[in-house]
Amino acid sequence: MLSPLPMNVWILVPQGWPVLRDVSSVTMKFVFHHIRPLSDWRLAPMSGPFKNEVGVIEKQQVSMIAGIRGEFFVCHTLSGAAAPKASRLLSAAEYARHPQAKEWFLSWRNLYRGDWEVFNGPNPIDIR
């Protein structure tokens, strides 16, 4: 049995986390959680329903996972002057209303590479 993850802190997404259970059930647990990369993350240009509105997610830039589409997390982010201060995490509703919020897509496989952090709060991530 795994010990509970610490609450209200940024935690590293360990490489291979989804092997603990069914990938789809683990992936769903990240929806409506904040993520940030440990280094700059270049996004591949995509087309059709998967269009990235940003080219680079900068190191420590906070994004919200707003949903899942196929094998991708649908993420929302703000950058530059529009980005909130580090102590302020926006809700999914605030991202949806914000005129400068940008949508981008992250393969769940890339999240599980181990180069990302997730904020465990206010809803705990229960990975067992």
Side-chain angles (χ1 to χ4, degrees):
M1 181 165 171
L2 296 174
S3 60
L5 297 171
M7 285 295 301
N8 297 316
V9 296
W10 288 97
I11 55 175
L12 183 65
V13 177
Q15 191 168 10
W17 223 356
V19 299
L20 300 174
R21 285 201 38 118
D22 172 47
V23 171
S24 62
S25 69
V26 171
T27 298
M28 286 301 297
K29 294 179 185 214
F30 286 94
V31 174
F32 300 124
H33 281 83
H34 293 88
I35 59 171
R36 65 184 185 187
L38 298 176
S39 59
D40 288 355
W41 190 263
R42 292 203 179 283
L43 298 172
M46 300 169 78
S47 61
F50 302 103
K51 238 181 232 179
N52 283 321
E53 295 180 5
V54 292
V56 175
I57 301 298
E58 296 175 357
K59 176 182 177 178
Q60 302 293 305
Q61 182 177 339
V62 175
S63 298
M64 161 73 74
I65 296 176
I68 294 177
R69 197 177 297 164
E71 292 187 10
F72 293 92
F73 288 113
V74 179
C75 303
H76 294 150
T77 193
L78 294 169
S79 59
K85 295 192 181 344
S87 62
R88 168 91 166 92
L89 297 177
L90 299 178
S91 69
E94 289 171 312
Y95 276 109
R97 286 191 309 263
H98 201 288
Q100 293 175 313
K102 301 291 185 187
E103 185 174 80
W104 60 281
F105 295 88
L106 175 67
S107 166
W108 54 261
R109 288 179 180 93
N110 287 334
L111 181 72
Y112 302 140
R113 275 185 23 179
D115 297 335
W116 293 84
E117 293 178 308
V118 61
F119 191 76
N120 191 31
N123 303 318
I125 299 171
D126 182 21
I127 308 289
R128 295 180 210 217

